[in-house]
Coordinates of all heavy atoms in Angstrom, one line a residue:
T17 N 33.9 -16.4 -46.6 CA 32.9 -16.9 -45.7 C 32.1 -15.7 -45.1 O 32.8 -14.8 -44.6 CB 33.6 -17.7 -44.5 OG1 34.4 -18.7 -45.1 CG2 32.5 -18.3 -43.6
T18 N 30.8 -15.8 -45.1 CA 30.0 -14.8 -44.6 C 29.4 -15.3 -43.3 O 28.8 -16.4 -43.2 CB 28.9 -14.4 -45.6 OG1 29.5 -14.1 -46.8 CG2 28.0 -13.3 -45.0
T19 N 29.4 -14.4 -42.2 CA 28.8 -14.8 -40.9 C 27.5 -14.0 -40.8 O 27.5 -12.8 -41.0 CB 29.8 -14.4 -39.8 OG1 31.0 -15.0 -40.0 CG2 29.2 -14.8 -38.5
T20 N 26.5 -14.7 -40.5 CA 25.2 -14.1 -40.3 C 24.9 -14.1 -38.8 O 25.0 -15.2 -38.2 CB 24.1 -14.9 -41.1 OG1 24.5 -15.0 -42.4 CG2 22.8 -14.2 -40.9
T21 N 24.5 -13.0 -38.3 CA 24.1 -12.9 -36.9 C 22.6 -12.7 -36.9 O 22.0 -11.9 -37.5 CB 24.8 -11.7 -36.3 OG1 26.2 -11.8 -36.4 CG2 24.4 -11.6 -34.8
T22 N 22.0 -13.6 -36.1 CA 20.5 -13.5 -35.9 C 20.2 -12.9 -34.6 O 20.8 -13.3 -33.6 CB 19.9 -15.0 -35.9 OG1 20.3 -15.6 -37.1 CG2 18.4 -14.9 -35.8
V23 N 19.5 -11.8 -34.6 CA 19.1 -11.1 -33.4 C 17.8 -11.7 -32.9 O 16.8 -11.7 -33.6 CB 19.0 -9.6 -33.7 CG1 18.5 -8.9 -32.5 CG2 20.2 -9.0 -34.2
V24 N 17.8 -12.1 -31.7 CA 16.7 -12.7 -31.1 C 16.1 -11.7 -30.1 O 16.8 -11.2 -29.2 CB 17.0 -14.0 -30.3 CG1 15.8 -14.6 -29.6 CG2 17.7 -15.0 -31.3
P25 N 14.8 -11.4 -30.2 CA 14.2 -10.5 -29.2 C 14.3 -11.1 -27.8 O 14.2 -12.2 -27.5 CB 12.7 -10.5 -29.6 CG 12.7 -10.9 -31.0 CD 13.8 -11.9 -31.1
V26 N 14.6 -10.1 -26.9 CA 14.7 -10.5 -25.4 C 13.5 -9.8 -24.7 O 13.4 -8.6 -24.7 CB 16.0 -10.0 -24.8 CG1 16.1 -10.3 -23.3 CG2 17.2 -10.7 -25.6
D27 N 12.6 -10.6 -24.1 CA 11.5 -10.0 -23.4 C 11.9 -9.5 -22.0 O 12.8 -10.1 -21.4 CB 10.4 -11.0 -23.2 CG 9.7 -11.4 -24.5 OD1 9.8 -10.7 -25.5 OD2 9.1 -12.5 -24.5
C28 N 11.3 -8.4 -21.6 CA 11.6 -7.9 -20.3 C 11.1 -8.9 -19.2 O 10.1 -9.5 -19.4 CB 10.8 -6.6 -20.1 SG 11.0 -5.8 -18.5
E29 N 11.8 -8.9 -18.1 CA 11.4 -9.7 -17.0 C 11.5 -8.8 -15.7 O 12.5 -8.1 -15.6 CB 12.3 -10.9 -16.8 CG 12.2 -11.9 -17.9 CD 13.1 -13.1 -17.7 OE1 13.5 -13.5 -16.6 OE2 13.5 -13.8 -18.7
G30 N 10.5 -8.9 -14.9 CA 10.5 -8.1 -13.7 C 9.3 -8.5 -12.8 O 8.5 -9.3 -13.2
E31 N 9.3 -8.0 -11.6 CA 8.2 -8.3 -10.7 C 8.0 -7.2 -9.7 O 8.9 -6.4 -9.4 CB 8.4 -9.6 -10.0 CG 9.6 -9.7 -9.1 CD 9.8 -11.1 -8.5 OE1 9.2 -12.0 -9.0 OE2 10.6 -11.1 -7.5
W32 N 6.8 -7.1 -9.2 CA 6.5 -6.2 -8.1 C 7.0 -6.7 -6.8 O 7.0 -7.9 -6.5 CB 5.0 -6.0 -8.0 CG 4.4 -5.2 -9.1 CD1 3.7 -5.7 -10.2 CD2 4.4 -3.8 -9.3 NE1 3.3 -4.7 -11.0 CE2 3.8 -3.5 -10.5 CE3 5.0 -2.7 -8.5 CZ2 3.6 -2.2 -11.0 CZ3 4.9 -1.4 -9.0 CH2 4.2 -1.2 -10.2
G33 N 7.6 -5.8 -6.0 CA 8.0 -6.2 -4.6 C 6.9 -6.3 -3.7 O 5.7 -6.2 -4.0
Q34 N 7.2 -6.6 -2.4 CA 6.2 -6.8 -1.4 C 5.6 -5.4 -1.1 O 6.2 -4.4 -1.2 CB 6.9 -7.3 -0.1 CG 7.4 -8.7 -0.3 CD 6.3 -9.8 -0.5 OE1 5.3 -9.7 0.2 NE2 6.5 -10.7 -1.4
W35 N 4.3 -5.5 -0.6 CA 3.6 -4.3 -0.2 C 4.3 -3.8 1.1 O 4.7 -4.6 2.0 CB 2.2 -4.5 0.1 CG 1.4 -4.7 -1.2 CD1 0.9 -5.8 -1.7 CD2 0.9 -3.6 -2.0 NE1 0.2 -5.6 -2.9 CE2 0.2 -4.2 -3.1 CE3 1.1 -2.2 -2.1 CZ2 -0.4 -3.5 -4.1 CZ3 0.5 -1.5 -3.1 CH2 -0.2 -2.1 -4.1
S36 N 4.4 -2.5 1.3 CA 4.9 -1.9 2.5 C 3.9 -2.1 3.6 O 2.8 -2.4 3.4 CB 5.2 -0.4 2.3 OG 4.0 0.3 2.1
T37 N 4.3 -1.7 4.9 CA 3.4 -1.7 6.0 C 2.5 -0.5 5.9 O 3.0 0.6 5.4 CB 4.1 -1.7 7.3 OG1 5.0 -2.8 7.3 CG2 3.2 -1.7 8.5
C38 N 1.2 -0.6 6.2 CA 0.3 0.6 6.2 C 0.9 1.7 7.0 O 1.4 1.5 8.1 CB -1.1 0.2 6.6 SG -2.3 1.5 6.3
S39 N 0.8 2.9 6.5 CA 1.4 4.1 7.1 C 0.6 4.5 8.4 O 1.1 5.2 9.2 CB 1.4 5.3 6.2 OG 0.1 5.6 5.6
V40 N -0.7 4.1 8.5 CA -1.5 4.4 9.7 C -2.4 3.2 10.0 O -2.5 2.3 9.2 CB -2.4 5.6 9.5 CG1 -1.6 6.9 9.3 CG2 -3.3 5.4 8.4
S41 N -2.9 3.1 11.2 CA -3.8 2.0 11.5 C -5.3 2.3 11.3 O -6.1 1.5 11.3 CB -3.6 1.5 13.0 OG -3.8 2.6 13.9
C42 N -5.6 3.6 11.2 CA -7.0 4.0 11.0 C -7.0 5.5 10.4 O -6.0 6.1 10.4 CB -7.8 3.9 12.2 SG -7.1 4.8 13.6
N43 N -8.2 5.9 9.9 CA -8.4 7.2 9.3 C -7.7 7.4 8.0 O -7.5 8.5 7.5 CB -8.0 8.4 10.3 CG -9.1 8.6 11.3 OD1 -10.2 8.0 11.2 ND2 -8.8 9.4 12.3
G44 N -7.3 6.3 7.3 CA -6.7 6.4 6.0 C -5.3 6.6 5.8 O -4.7 7.6 6.3
G45 N -4.6 5.6 5.2 CA -3.2 5.7 4.9 C -3.0 5.1 3.6 O -3.9 4.9 2.8
S46 N -1.7 4.7 3.3 CA -1.4 4.0 2.0 C -0.3 3.0 2.2 O 0.5 3.1 3.2 CB -1.0 5.1 1.0 OG 0.2 5.8 1.4
I47 N -0.3 2.1 1.3 CA 0.8 1.1 1.2 C 1.4 1.2 -0.2 O 0.7 1.6 -1.2 CB 0.3 -0.4 1.4 CG1 -0.9 -0.7 0.5 CG2 0.0 -0.6 2.9 CD1 -1.3 -2.2 0.6
T48 N 2.6 0.9 -0.4 CA 3.3 1.0 -1.7 C 4.1 -0.2 -1.9 O 4.5 -0.9 -1.0 CB 4.2 2.3 -1.7 OG1 5.2 2.2 -0.7 CG2 3.4 3.6 -1.6
R49 N 4.4 -0.4 -3.2 CA 5.3 -1.4 -3.7 C 6.1 -0.9 -4.9 O 5.6 0.0 -5.5 CB 4.6 -2.7 -4.0 CG 3.6 -2.6 -5.1 CD 2.9 -3.9 -5.4 NE 1.9 -3.8 -6.5 CZ 1.3 -4.7 -7.1 NH1 1.5 -6.0 -6.7 NH2 0.4 -4.5 -8.1
T50 N 7.2 -1.5 -5.2 CA 8.1 -1.0 -6.3 C 8.3 -2.1 -7.3 O 8.5 -3.3 -6.9 CB 9.4 -0.5 -5.7 OG1 9.1 0.5 -4.7 CG2 10.3 0.1 -6.8
F51 N 8.3 -1.8 -8.5 CA 8.6 -2.8 -9.6 C 10.1 -2.8 -9.9 O 10.8 -1.8 -10.0 CB 7.9 -2.4 -10.9 CG 7.8 -3.5 -11.9 CD1 6.9 -4.5 -11.8 CD2 8.8 -3.5 -12.9 CE1 6.9 -5.5 -12.8 CE2 8.8 -4.5 -13.9 CZ 7.8 -5.6 -13.8
A52 N 10.7 -4.0 -10.0 CA 12.1 -4.2 -10.3 C 12.3 -5.0 -11.5 O 11.7 -6.1 -11.6 CB 12.8 -4.8 -9.1
V53 N 13.0 -4.4 -12.5 CA 13.3 -5.1 -13.7 C 14.6 -5.9 -13.6 O 15.6 -5.4 -13.1 CB 13.4 -4.1 -14.9 CG1 13.9 -4.9 -16.2 CG2 12.1 -3.4 -15.2
S54 N 14.5 -7.2 -13.9 CA 15.7 -8.1 -13.8 C 16.4 -8.2 -15.2 O 17.6 -8.4 -15.3 CB 15.4 -9.4 -13.1 OG 14.3 -10.0 -13.8
V55 N 15.5 -8.2 -16.2 CA 16.1 -8.3 -17.6 C 15.3 -7.2 -18.4 O 14.1 -7.3 -18.5 CB 15.8 -9.7 -18.2 CG1 16.3 -9.7 -19.7 CG2 16.5 -10.8 -17.4
F56 N 16.0 -6.3 -19.0 CA 15.4 -5.3 -19.8 C 15.1 -5.8 -21.2 O 15.9 -6.6 -21.8 CB 16.3 -4.0 -19.9 CG 16.3 -3.3 -18.6 CD1 17.3 -3.5 -17.7 CD2 15.4 -2.3 -18.4 CE1 17.3 -2.8 -16.5 CE2 15.4 -1.5 -17.2 CZ 16.4 -1.8 -16.2
A57 N 14.0 -5.4 -21.8 CA 13.7 -5.8 -23.2 C 14.7 -5.3 -24.2 O 15.2 -4.2 -24.1 CB 12.3 -5.2 -23.6
E58 N 15.1 -6.1 -25.1 CA 16.0 -5.7 -26.2 C 15.6 -6.3 -27.5 O 14.8 -7.3 -27.6 CB 17.4 -6.3 -25.9 CG 18.1 -5.7 -24.7 CD 19.5 -6.2 -24.5 OE1 19.7 -7.3 -24.1 OE2 20.4 -5.4 -24.9
Y59 N 16.0 -5.7 -28.6 CA 15.7 -6.2 -30.0 C 14.3 -6.4 -30.3 O 13.9 -7.4 -30.9 CB 16.6 -7.4 -30.3 CG 18.0 -7.3 -29.8 CD1 18.5 -8.1 -28.8 CD2 18.9 -6.4 -30.4 CE1 19.8 -8.0 -28.4 CE2 20.2 -6.3 -30.0 CZ 20.7 -7.1 -29.0 OH 22.0 -7.0 -28.6
G60 N 13.4 -5.5 -29.8 CA 12.0 -5.6 -30.1 C 11.2 -6.6 -29.2 O 10.1 -6.9 -29.4
G61 N 11.9 -7.0 -28.1 CA 11.2 -7.9 -27.1 C 10.1 -7.2 -26.4 O 10.0 -6.0 -26.4
A62 N 9.2 -8.0 -25.8 CA 8.1 -7.4 -25.0 C 8.5 -6.6 -23.8 O 9.5 -7.0 -23.1 CB 7.1 -8.5 -24.5
E63 N 7.9 -5.5 -23.6 CA 8.2 -4.6 -22.5 C 7.5 -5.1 -21.2 O 6.6 -5.9 -21.3 CB 7.7 -3.2 -22.8 CG 8.4 -2.5 -23.9 CD 9.8 -2.1 -23.6 OE1 10.2 -1.9 -22.4 OE2 10.6 -2.1 -24.6
C64 N 8.1 -4.8 -20.1 CA 7.5 -5.1 -18.8 C 6.2 -4.4 -18.6 O 5.9 -3.3 -19.2 CB 8.4 -4.8 -17.7 SG 9.7 -6.1 -17.5
V65 N 5.4 -4.8 -17.6 CA 4.1 -4.1 -17.3 C 4.3 -2.8 -16.6 O 3.4 -2.0 -16.5 CB 3.2 -5.1 -16.5 CG1 2.8 -6.3 -17.2 CG2 3.9 -5.4 -15.1
A66 N 5.5 -2.6 -16.1 CA 5.8 -1.3 -15.4 C 7.3 -1.0 -15.6 O 8.1 -1.9 -16.0 CB 5.5 -1.4 -13.9
D67 N 7.7 0.2 -15.4 CA 9.1 0.6 -15.5 C 9.9 0.3 -14.3 O 9.3 0.2 -13.2 CB 9.2 2.2 -15.7 CG 8.6 2.6 -17.0 OD1 8.6 1.8 -18.0 OD2 8.1 3.8 -17.1
D68 N 11.2 0.1 -14.4 CA 12.0 -0.2 -13.3 C 12.0 0.9 -12.3 O 12.1 2.1 -12.7 CB 13.5 -0.4 -13.8 CG 14.4 -0.9 -12.7 OD1 14.0 -1.9 -12.0 OD2 15.5 -0.4 -12.6
G69 N 11.7 0.6 -11.1 CA 11.6 1.6 -10.0 C 10.2 2.3 -9.9 O 10.0 3.1 -9.0
E70 N 9.3 1.9 -10.8 CA 7.9 2.5 -10.7 C 7.2 2.0 -9.4 O 7.4 0.9 -9.0 CB 7.1 2.0 -11.9 CG 5.7 2.7 -12.0 CD 5.0 2.3 -13.3 OE1 5.6 2.0 -14.3 OE2 3.7 2.3 -13.2
T71 N 6.5 2.9 -8.8 CA 5.8 2.5 -7.6 C 4.3 2.5 -7.8 O 3.7 3.1 -8.7 CB 6.0 3.5 -6.4 OG1 5.7 4.8 -6.8 CG2 7.5 3.5 -6.0
D72 N 3.6 1.6 -7.0 CA 2.2 1.4 -7.0 C 1.7 1.7 -5.6 O 2.4 1.3 -4.7 CB 1.9 0.0 -7.5 CG 0.4 -0.3 -7.6 OD1 -0.4 0.6 -7.8 OD2 0.1 -1.5 -7.6
S73 N 0.5 2.2 -5.4 CA 0.0 2.5 -4.1 C -1.4 2.1 -4.0 O -2.1 2.1 -5.0 CB 0.3 3.9 -3.6 OG -0.4 4.8 -4.4
Q74 N -1.9 1.8 -2.8 CA -3.3 1.5 -2.5 C -3.6 2.1 -1.1 O -2.7 2.3 -0.3 CB -3.5 0.0 -2.4 CG -3.5 -0.7 -3.7 CD -3.9 -2.2 -3.6 OE1 -4.1 -2.7 -2.5 NE2 -4.0 -2.9 -4.7
N75 N -4.9 2.4 -0.9 CA -5.3 2.8 0.4 C -5.3 1.7 1.4 O -5.5 0.5 1.0 CB -6.8 3.4 0.3 CG -6.8 4.6 -0.6 OD1 -5.8 5.4 -0.7 ND2 -7.9 4.9 -1.2
C76 N -5.1 2.0 2.6 CA -5.2 1.1 3.7 C -5.6 1.8 5.0 O -5.7 3.0 5.0 CB -3.9 0.4 3.9 SG -2.6 1.5 4.5
G77 N -5.9 1.0 6.0 CA -6.3 1.6 7.3 C -7.4 2.6 7.2 O -7.4 3.7 7.8
T78 N -8.4 2.2 6.4 CA -9.5 3.2 6.1 C -10.6 3.2 7.1 O -11.5 4.1 7.1 CB -10.2 2.8 4.7 OG1 -10.6 1.5 4.7 CG2 -9.2 3.0 3.6
Q79 N -10.6 2.3 8.1 CA -11.6 2.4 9.1 C -11.4 3.6 10.0 O -10.3 4.1 10.1 CB -11.6 1.1 10.0 CG -10.4 0.9 10.8 CD -9.2 0.2 10.1 OE1 -9.2 0.1 8.8 NE2 -8.2 -0.2 10.8
V80 N -12.5 4.1 10.6 CA -12.4 5.4 11.4 C -11.8 5.0 12.7 O -12.1 4.0 13.3 CB -13.8 5.9 11.6 CG1 -13.8 7.1 12.5 CG2 -14.4 6.3 10.2
C81 N -10.9 5.9 13.2 CA -10.3 5.7 14.5 C -11.3 5.9 15.6 O -12.1 6.9 15.5 CB -9.1 6.7 14.7 SG -7.7 6.3 13.7
P82 N -11.3 5.1 16.6 CA -12.2 5.4 17.7 C -11.8 6.8 18.4 O -10.6 7.0 18.6 CB -12.0 4.3 18.7 CG -10.7 3.6 18.3 CD -10.4 4.0 16.9
G83 N -12.7 7.6 18.6 CA -12.4 8.9 19.2 C -12.5 8.9 20.7 O -13.1 8.0 21.3
D84 N -11.9 9.9 21.4 CA -12.0 10.0 22.8 C -13.4 10.5 23.1 O -14.0 11.2 22.3 CB -11.0 11.0 23.3 CG -9.6 10.5 23.2 OD1 -9.4 9.3 23.2 OD2 -8.7 11.4 23.2
C85 N -13.9 10.1 24.3 CA -15.2 10.5 24.7 C -15.2 12.0 24.9 O -14.3 12.5 25.5 CB -15.6 9.8 26.0 SG -17.3 10.2 26.6
D86 N -16.2 12.7 24.4 CA -16.3 14.1 24.6 C -17.6 14.4 25.3 O -18.7 14.2 24.7 CB -16.2 14.8 23.2 CG -16.1 16.3 23.3 OD1 -15.8 16.8 24.4 OD2 -16.4 17.0 22.3
G87 N -17.5 14.9 26.5 CA -18.8 15.2 27.3 C -18.4 15.6 28.7 O -17.3 15.8 29.0
S88 N -19.4 15.8 29.4 CA -19.2 16.3 30.8 C -20.4 15.8 31.7 O -21.4 15.4 31.2 CB -19.1 17.8 30.9 OG -20.3 18.4 30.4
W89 N -20.1 15.7 33.0 CA -21.1 15.3 33.9 C -22.1 16.4 34.1 O -21.8 17.5 34.2 CB -20.5 14.9 35.3 CG -19.7 13.6 35.2 CD1 -18.3 13.5 35.1 CD2 -20.2 12.3 35.2 NE1 -18.0 12.2 35.1 CE2 -19.1 11.4 35.2 CE3 -21.5 11.8 35.3 CZ2 -19.3 10.0 35.1 CZ3 -21.6 10.4 35.3 CH2 -20.5 9.5 35.2
G90 N -23.4 16.0 34.3 CA -24.4 17.0 34.6 C -24.4 17.2 36.1 O -23.6 16.7 36.9
S91 N -25.4 18.0 36.6 CA -25.5 18.4 38.0 C -26.0 17.1 38.7 O -26.7 16.3 38.2 CB -26.5 19.5 38.2 OG -26.1 20.6 37.5
W92 N -25.7 17.1 40.0 CA -26.2 16.0 40.9 C -27.7 16.2 41.0 O -28.2 17.3 41.1 CB -25.6 16.0 42.3 CG -24.1 15.6 42.2 CD1 -23.0 16.3 42.2 CD2 -23.7 14.2 42.2 NE1 -21.9 15.6 42.2 CE2 -22.3 14.2 42.2 CE3 -24.3 13.0 42.2 CZ2 -21.5 13.1 42.2 CZ3 -23.5 11.8 42.2 CH2 -22.2 11.9 42.2
S93 N -28.4 15.1 41.1 CA -29.9 15.1 41.4 C -30.1 15.2 42.9 O -29.2 15.0 43.6 CB -30.6 13.9 40.8 OG -30.1 12.7 41.4
S94 N -31.3 15.5 43.3 CA -31.7 15.5 44.7 C -31.6 14.1 45.3 O -31.8 13.1 44.6 CB -33.1 16.0 45.0 OG -33.5 16.9 44.0
C95 N -31.3 14.0 46.6 CA -31.2 12.8 47.2 C -32.6 12.1 47.3 O -33.6 12.8 47.6 CB -30.6 13.0 48.7 SG -30.3 11.4 49.5
A96 N -32.7 10.8 47.0 CA -34.0 10.2 47.0 C -34.4 9.8 48.4 O -35.6 9.5 48.5 CB -33.8 8.9 46.1
V97 N -33.6 9.7 49.4 CA -34.0 9.4 50.7 C -33.5 10.4 51.7 O -32.5 11.0 51.5 CB -33.4 8.0 51.2 CG1 -34.4 6.9 51.1 CG2 -32.2 7.6 50.5
T98 N -34.2 10.6 52.8 CA -33.8 11.5 53.8 C -33.0 10.7 54.9 O -33.0 9.5 54.9 CB -35.0 12.2 54.5 OG1 -35.8 11.1 55.0 CG2 -35.7 13.1 53.6
C99 N -32.2 11.4 55.7 CA -31.4 10.8 56.7 C -32.2 9.9 57.6 O -33.3 10.3 58.1 CB -30.6 11.8 57.5 SG -29.4 12.7 56.5
G100 N -31.7 8.7 57.8 CA -32.4 7.7 58.7 C -33.6 7.1 58.1 O -34.2 6.2 58.7
G101 N -34.0 7.5 57.0 CA -35.2 6.9 56.4 C -34.9 5.9 55.3 O -33.7 5.6 55.1
S102 N -35.9 5.2 54.9 CA -35.6 4.2 53.8 C -36.3 4.5 52.6 O -37.1 5.3 52.4 CB -35.9 2.8 54.3 OG -37.2 2.8 54.9

């Protein structure tokens, strides 16, 4: 009796995790996510779109931060009325 083993390709299965919180609220930061493989490809099966543990990043918080006011008061002007006058 001869036993024949048929090898069936196993496709990779995996997914991207949730995006992280932006590293800053303004002036440019980044968010990242990580790919996790749950089933690795075997016997010629299709590979995943990314490697296990691979990270992806995007820009975030790109709006300009409001700056502190930078200036100074000028000199006082002359008084517009004299004492007791209107």
Side-chain angles (χ1 to χ4, degrees):
T17 307
T18 304
T19 304
T20 304
T21 303
T22 303
V23 177
V24 178
V26 176
D27 291 342
C28 179
E29 294 180 24
E31 63 184 17
W32 288 102
Q34 296 292 318
W35 286 105
S36 65
T37 303
C38 189
S39 58
V40 296
S41 59
C42 54
N43 282 351
S46 63
I47 54 175
T48 58
R49 63 181 180 169
T50 304
F51 193 82
V53 173
S54 53
V55 176
F56 287 90
E58 292 185 287
Y59 313 115
E63 294 293 328
C64 281
V65 297
D67 294 329
D68 191 44
E70 185 175 333
T71 58
D72 183 22
S73 63
Q74 288 186 354
N75 294 334
C76 64
T78 56
Q79 66 276 14
V80 176
C81 290
D84 291 335
C85 180
D86 186 17
S88 59
W89 289 101
S91 300
W92 286 101
S93 63
S94 327
C95 187
V97 258
T98 56
C99 292
S102 46

